[in-house]
Amino acid sequence: MTVAVVRFGGSNCDRDALRSLQDLGIDAEIVWYEDGLPADTTGIVLPGGFSYGDYLRAGAMAARTPIMQDVREAADDGTPVLGICNGAQICAEMGLVDGAFTVNESARFQCEPVHLRVETTDSPFTSSFEVGDVIELPIAHGEGRYEVQSGVYDDLIEEDKVLFRYCDADGEVSDEANPNGSKDNVAGVLGDCDNGAVLMPHPERATLPELGGTDGRAILEGLSG
Amino acid sequence: MAAFTAIVTVRLKSGVLDPEAATTQRALERLEFELDDLRFADRYEIDLDAADADAAAERAESMAERLLANPTIHDYDVEIEDRT
């Protein structure tokens, strides 16, 4: 019974994720990518950072490491998988979710709090919310602009796979509230199975009241199985 | 077997926003250059040995499909040159 937080060379939010999960009473450990997933893995976090120095494209190299095949198989078997920031980019690069995360519209690295509207509760990460709830999490990325081909996007909408959208404090989804130019303000999506999800904002950085809010806790609790 | 260089060019699909290109264009305009548009592409020069040019192209296309390009946002093309 453990949540595997997969560390690549260049991951830098792995310890934050571990600490947050432990604070929530969820058993978790950091797993070096070359060591493979532990046999008792019950959840997987692909943490933020700059795996492989963002060479080629953010997440491109990590997406093609052997451990990610194990992650795919675990996701197919129903294990909750959460890709955060660089972890989201990795999951998109390997096709665990549709679309791609690429250079922000501003062409700059952006580090700021954002509001998100919950778009579906049909996932372990949002099951404790109501659709339309507004939460606040920080973003910290240079390549967070969600791009997706229009036919694929239509399917995402049809299948209720959009997890969060960037919005203002009142929950209004607008261009002004879109920090990076993402397609239709999409901040996170679900994979083929509802137990696999990615998002660019950082729930693990919003779990302590002393550090600007606790809206990330309910998302991470989705890993408790 | 013969020696080839496969030149793989990866560029954003038409219509996909390119903020880095837009920033570069603005910088050129600040330097008082006149231009209508600017596009970026990544160019990979891959030295390889293959039975013939078609086999070299096939391998380079596979490299582009599996790693060098992301089909959601990129198009690519492959040229093969003899390498002596």
Side-chain angles (χ1 to χ4, degrees):
Chain A
M1 286 287 291
T2 192
V3 172
V5 179
V6 181
R7 171 187 282 167
F8 297 94
S11 297
N12 67 7
C13 302
D14 44 341
R15 286 181 299 170
D16 293 32
L18 179 73
R19 174 75 193 277
S20 300
L21 289 165
Q22 289 172 339
D23 278 349
L24 291 167
I26 298 170
D27 186 45
E29 64 181 282
I30 288 176
V31 174
W32 179 240
Y33 79 101
E34 289 182 311
D35 294 342
L37 291 176
D40 61 346
T41 298
T42 54
I44 298 165
V45 174
L46 297 157
F50 300 86
S51 58
Y52 292 84
D54 281 352
Y55 290 174
L56 192 63
R57 299 176 299 275
M61 300 297 176
R64 289 156 178 88
T65 54
I67 196 171
M68 291 308 296
Q69 285 310 312
D70 297 345
V71 171
R72 187 192 296 275
E73 285 170 21
D76 288 344
D77 289 342
T79 304
V81 176
L82 184 62
I84 301 167
C85 196
N86 189 226
Q89 295 161 337
I90 293 167
C91 289
E93 273 286 337
M94 71 178 291
L96 202 63
V97 299
D98 288 320
F101 294 97
T102 187
V103 180
N104 292 348
E105 189 173 16
S106 65
R108 293 178 184 161
F109 189 91
Q110 289 174 247
C111 190
E112 61 201 50
V114 297
H115 291 98
L116 302 171
R117 192 175 78 182
V118 176
E119 300 291 339
T120 180
T121 56
D122 197 13
S123 88
F125 310 103
T126 53
S127 58
S128 63
F129 296 107
E130 302 286 336
V131 170
D133 279 357
V134 177
I135 64 172
E136 186 176 337
L137 297 179
I139 56 167
H141 60 243
E143 298 180 41
R145 175 169 57 97
Y146 186 66
E147 285 280 353
V148 60
Q149 287 161 323
S150 54
V152 177
Y153 184 66
D154 294 342
D155 291 344
L156 283 178
I157 300 297
E158 176 93 0
E159 294 165 14
D160 196 23
K161 297 289 189 192
V162 175
L163 194 61
F164 296 108
R165 282 196 169 89
Y166 299 107
C167 66
D168 65 19
D170 298 322
E172 187 178 341
V173 174
S174 64
D175 288 347
E176 293 72 35
N178 189 343
N180 54 24
S182 287
K183 166 89 172 172
D184 277 1
N185 289 45
V186 169
V189 292
L190 296 172
D192 287 340
C193 326
D194 293 341
N195 54 292
V198 308
L199 75 167
M200 287 308 297
H202 287 271
E204 82 285 6
R205 295 190 191 178
T207 58
L208 297 170
E210 300 86 344
L211 294 176
T214 58
D215 286 347
R217 295 173 71 96
I219 296 170
L220 296 179
E221 276 167 352
L223 290 156
S224 63
Chain B
M1 300 291 272
F4 298 98
T5 297
I7 299 164
V8 180
T9 306
V10 178
R11 54 175 63 84
L12 285 172
K13 283 181 193 292
S14 169
V16 175
L17 184 71
D18 189 343
E20 291 178 338
T23 303
T24 306
Q25 178 171 346
R26 282 199 299 276
L28 286 169
E29 287 164 348
R30 269 201 301 278
L31 293 171
E32 299 183 351
F33 288 104
E34 290 183 16
L35 67 161
D36 293 332
D37 197 10
L38 180 154
R39 289 169 296 282
F40 269 153
D42 289 321
R43 172 187 163 109
Y44 302 87
E45 298 176 0
I46 304 164
D47 295 341
L48 44 78
D49 294 322
D52 54 34
D54 286 348
E58 194 175 324
R59 200 185 312 163
E61 282 164 16
S62 183
M63 291 176 186
E65 293 281 339
R66 292 187 57 190
L67 178 64
L68 301 179
N70 180 329
T72 296
I73 53 175
H74 290 137
D75 290 325
Y76 69 88
D77 59 58
V78 174
E79 294 169 61
I80 301 296
E81 291 180 354
D82 291 330
R83 176 166 52 98
T84 50

